Amino acid sequence: MNIELQHTGDLTATIKIDLSPADYEEKVMKVLKDYQRKAQMPGFRPGKVPFGMTKKLYGQAVTADEINKLLGETLESFVKEQNLSILGNPLPNMEMTPEVDFNEPKEMSFFFDLGLNPEFEISLENIAAIPYYNIEISDEAAGKYLEDLRQRNGELSEVEVAEKGDLLKGELAELDAEGNLKEDGITSTGSIKPEVFANEDIQALFIGVKPGDVVKFNPMKASGNATDVAAMLGIDKEAAEELESDFNFTVTTVNRMVPAEVNADLFEKIYPGVEIADEAELLAMIKKDAAGSFVTESDKKFFNDAVKALIESSGIQLPDEFLKRWLVDVNQEKTTAEEIEKHYDDYARSMRWQLIENRLIKEYGIEVLEEDIKNVFRGYFQRPGSSEMDEDMMRRIDGIVDSFMKNKEDVRRINDQIFEQKLMATLKEKMTTEVKSMNYEDFVKMASVK
């Protein structure tokens, strides 16, 4: 066997592997003899099939299989021995490889193309400052949120005349084609909140009605959702999908949600155990909590901006034509060469980031330990504010954690989450950041710009 590495470009190379019969014949004969021992054919006792017949039947396939195995092992070993840093996997070069006849042992040459990892420098400290946005909640947004809390904590009260947003209770009765009550038709007692109807014209029919009034409408035209109509009428979804009838809705009561008063009772419901003196303090708490809930969005924006800056500053060049071939090869059942070409810029960006990420992992020692994952599982059993657990409880919890660790999908999910947290922490610590304050509405507009 002879192996040669031939550089074909700054980021490409070709490996030539020369094989002689001595490299593979012994393995082929061993497999064929094993086939002979196990072969069962009419006219021969088990294990007594002539070797020549076995070779004729299976020789070509076995030779091809053993040579492919040998090539795979040889490529892997050579890449490791030569300390070659490659992208993707070696790809057969069918243009350079002569046509192979596996029927007769002879000298054979095989060629494989490589994409080589590019050399590049990366420094988190030398990247221009990345904005980090502290999202502020405007007085208007906090006020809207307070109104929503008042509504959710309010009480239903009966009123005389329906307005938008009211809940109407009443009797539903199916009508026939002439608009009369249908004999043995569908009837139901229930509640309707017209504002959830998709049809705004039908919503308007319920505005201004009073107990005793009758509204004629078509439930499926009003809602457009068979599941909702089935729940409204107490029928099966399948029956609702076929329903075309109009219905009379006789109003019995009109209920309106009266928002809760802004007082101590509301403060306690929203923030139990927290002393809040007045509406101003409540709004301040709402702003603080809402801003905290937007940290994830701020982090995501910072991360995307940091990744973009790192990719642009790295100047990483890629063996594009090789990568396109490789992407087609590994995704041949999922996509086409045309699709790869169309979206190659996205693939290339992802590849550049993967190279940078791998460099950061090595340079800054970013890793997820088994104990990190176990601590996440342990946290499931630790209630906020609870005291430390005794040794017996800890042993029992660790036993449960060990069983959780056997779920590979959950372990992988948590591993990815912890890794993202550690990578984010490294970027925040090492890169220069410029903290900016921005209200949420402006942040959403900015973040939505491609």
Side-chain angles (χ1 to χ4, degrees):
M1 180 188 298
N2 183 58
I3 309 175
E4 294 179 15
L5 177 67
Q6 305 166 352
H7 284 277
T8 55
D10 292 338
L11 296 173
T12 56
T14 297
I15 294 176
K16 179 187 179 186
I17 302 177
D18 297 320
L19 297 181
S20 66
D23 296 316
Y24 57 85
E25 255 189 332
E26 183 179 345
K27 294 180 180 179
V28 170
M29 293 297 290
K30 182 179 179 181
V31 173
L32 287 174
K33 287 179 179 178
D34 187 53
Y35 274 31
Q36 182 190 20
R37 286 194 299 270
K38 298 176 181 178
Q40 296 184 20
M41 293 185 186
F44 298 96
R45 286 181 295 164
K48 298 300 180 179
V49 177
F51 182 77
M53 186 175 292
T54 304
K55 184 177 181 181
K56 184 177 180 180
L57 287 171
Y58 304 111
Q60 183 175 356
V62 169
T63 302
D65 188 47
E66 290 303 314
I67 287 177
N68 284 330
K69 287 180 184 178
L70 180 59
L71 290 172
E73 294 167 358
T74 302
L75 278 171
E76 185 177 354
S77 298
F78 185 78
V79 168
K80 287 182 179 178
E81 290 168 3
Q82 298 297 314
N83 198 27
L84 297 175
S85 182
I86 65 174
L87 293 172
N89 301 307
L91 295 176
N93 187 317
M94 304 310 295
E95 293 182 0
M96 297 180 68
T97 300
E99 187 174 348
V100 177
D101 180 4
F102 293 106
N103 280 314
E104 293 296 331
K106 56 181 178 296
E107 302 286 337
M108 301 180 183
S109 294
F110 299 87
F111 294 82
F112 296 88
D113 294 333
L114 305 179
L116 304 178
N117 264 326
E119 296 291 334
F120 64 95
E121 297 297 326
I122 200 75
S123 173
L124 297 183
E125 292 83 356
N126 295 333
I127 303 295
I130 305 297
Y132 186 88
Y133 296 94
N134 282 334
I135 302 176
E136 297 179 339
I137 309 303
S138 66
D139 291 340
E140 181 182 3
K144 288 181 179 178
Y145 189 64
L146 175 56
E147 288 306 309
D148 181 60
L149 288 170
R150 290 182 63 200
Q151 195 74 16
R152 280 189 275 162
N153 288 279
E155 294 182 355
L156 282 175
S157 177
E158 284 193 25
V159 294
E160 287 298 317
V161 181
E163 296 179 359
K164 185 175 181 179
D166 288 346
L167 180 70
L168 286 69
K169 292 183 179 181
E171 305 288 337
L172 285 150
E174 187 177 5
L175 304 177
D176 60 23
E178 286 73 37
N180 302 312
L181 290 177
K182 185 176 181 179
E183 186 176 353
D184 298 324
I186 299 169
T187 59
S188 175
T189 299
S191 301
I192 289 179
K193 196 165 188 178
E195 67 174 334
V196 303
F197 289 158
N199 189 308
E200 293 184 0
D201 291 336
I202 294 179
Q203 284 185 31
L205 298 176
F206 293 85
I207 302 299
V209 300
K210 304 180 292 297
D213 288 349
V214 178
V215 179
K216 178 183 175 182
F217 77 110
N218 185 301
M220 277 303 296
K221 289 181 180 178
S223 173
N225 186 305
T227 301
D228 291 344
V229 171
M232 181 196 309
L233 300 175
I235 60 177
D236 294 334
K237 180 184 175 184
E238 292 73 16
E241 289 173 343
E242 301 295 327
L243 189 66
E244 297 180 357
S245 305
D246 288 340
F247 279 70
N248 274 347
F249 180 72
T250 304
V251 181
T252 55
T253 58
V254 179
N255 293 306
R256 183 173 301 155
M257 182 63 73
V258 179
E261 294 290 332
V262 181
N263 54 28
D265 288 340
L266 181 63
F267 302 158
E268 181 63 24
K269 286 180 181 178
I270 300 173
Y271 293 105
V274 178
E275 290 190 12
I276 298 176
D278 52 28
E279 183 175 337
E281 286 191 13
L282 176 62
L283 287 169
M285 287 287 291
I286 290 172
K287 285 185 176 183
K288 180 181 177 181
D289 284 357
S293 70
F294 295 137
V295 168
T296 299
E297 294 185 51
S298 294
D299 283 351
K300 182 179 179 181
K301 173 64 177 169
F302 170 81
F303 183 81
N304 290 340
D305 289 344
V307 168
K308 181 180 179 182
L310 287 167
I311 291 174
E312 291 176 351
S313 69
S314 68
I316 295 175
Q317 299 299 312
L318 296 172
D320 296 315
E321 294 309 311
F322 171 85
L323 284 177
K324 289 174 185 178
R325 283 178 56 203
W326 175 70
L327 287 165
V328 171
D329 185 69
V330 297
N331 295 287
Q332 53 189 315
E333 295 183 0
K334 301 177 182 177
T335 188
T336 63
E338 291 74 18
E339 284 296 308
I340 295 294
E341 186 69 42
K342 181 179 178 181
H343 299 289
Y344 179 71
D345 287 346
D346 294 331
Y347 287 119
R349 181 182 184 279
S350 178
M351 180 65 73
R352 290 185 174 93
W353 171 240
Q354 186 177 337
L355 292 169
I356 294 170
E357 189 177 63
N358 290 339
R359 179 73 63 84
L360 296 177
I361 290 171
K362 184 177 180 180
E363 186 169 339
Y364 294 100
I366 303 171
E367 62 177 333
V368 178
L369 304 175
E370 183 178 282
E371 199 64 19
D372 295 330
I373 299 172
K374 286 185 174 182
N375 284 334
V376 172
F377 285 131
R378 291 185 183 112
Y380 294 166
F381 304 94
Q382 185 72 39
R383 288 177 295 181
S386 62
S387 58
E388 292 186 6
M389 291 177 280
D390 58 38
E391 291 185 11
D392 183 58
M393 177 62 76
M394 285 300 299
R395 277 195 297 271
R396 280 187 284 169
I397 288 175
D398 281 345
I400 299 173
V401 168
D402 287 340
S403 68
F404 284 178
M405 292 294 290
K406 296 176 182 178
N407 188 320
K408 293 182 180 180
E409 186 176 338
D410 282 349
V411 168
R412 183 170 55 251
R413 174 177 55 80
I414 293 173
N415 179 89
D416 292 345
Q417 290 174 353
I418 297 173
F419 173 77
E420 289 176 4
Q421 292 167 3
K422 290 190 174 187
L423 178 58
M424 176 68 78
T426 300
L427 294 178
K428 283 183 176 179
E429 177 188 355
K430 300 297 182 181
M431 299 184 80
T432 303
T433 57
E434 181 182 1
V435 178
K436 296 182 177 182
S437 295
M438 181 177 289
N439 67 54
Y440 182 66
E441 292 80 7
D442 289 341
F443 177 83
V444 169
K445 290 178 185 177
M446 177 195 65
S448 64
V449 176
K450 299 294 184 181

